[in-house]
Amino acid sequence: MKIVMAVIKPFKLEEVRDALTALGVHGLTVTEVKGYGRQKGHTEIYRGAEYAVSFLPKLKIEVAVATDLVPQVIDAITAAARTGQIGDGKIFVTPIEKAVRIRTGETDSDAL
């Protein structure tokens, strides 16, 4: 089992969710985050004054999946979240040691 964590642009959430649903991924967690990468933020003009925006709003999506499904999940997220512009995001994959469904006590892949 692995956790696939993707940091994406907020307006791409529905497309990513639809792509994951088409793969049969049943649940995901979405968190509003702020950050910057190589673009180092940007400047905005508000009422004639220029402001530096260092941290851009992003969404972090976390999906727990079986190890053999990871490549398809990565491909689906990449295709759905790509705009071709700087700041499209990143995908990270980490292992899960144990998963337990609280309601039933099921463990590992049964808990997903």
Side-chain angles (χ1 to χ4, degrees):
M1 294 180 308
K2 305 275 187 182
I3 285 195
V4 179
M5 179 177 51
V7 180
I8 64 168
K9 292 183 176 186
F11 63 89
K12 287 296 201 170
L13 176 62
E14 292 301 317
E15 292 176 48
V16 171
R17 185 187 62 140
D18 292 344
L20 292 174
T21 302
L23 280 179
V25 174
H26 298 296
L28 57 97
T29 301
V30 179
T31 309
E32 292 181 9
V33 295
K34 290 185 180 208
Y36 72 91
R38 291 183 180 162
Q39 79 270 20
K40 305 281 193 283
H42 66 276
T43 57
E44 290 183 356
I45 298 175
Y46 178 71
R47 294 190 178 192
E50 194 170 283
Y51 296 94
V53 179
S54 298
F55 296 98
L56 302 175
K58 302 281 186 175
L59 292 179
K60 180 170 70 170
I61 299 171
E62 295 173 304
V63 182
V65 296
T67 303
D68 59 335
L69 195 59
V70 170
Q72 295 97 310
V73 169
I74 291 173
D75 291 342
I77 293 172
T78 302
R82 179 178 288 140
T83 66
Q85 303 296 317
I86 193 165
D88 273 351
K90 297 251 186 330
I91 298 174
F92 305 98
V93 180
T94 56
I96 298 174
E97 285 188 33
K98 184 138 186 100
V100 178
R101 181 173 300 193
I102 295 172
R103 179 177 54 89
T104 61
E106 294 170 301
T107 59
D108 299 327
S109 60
D110 293 334
L112 299 181

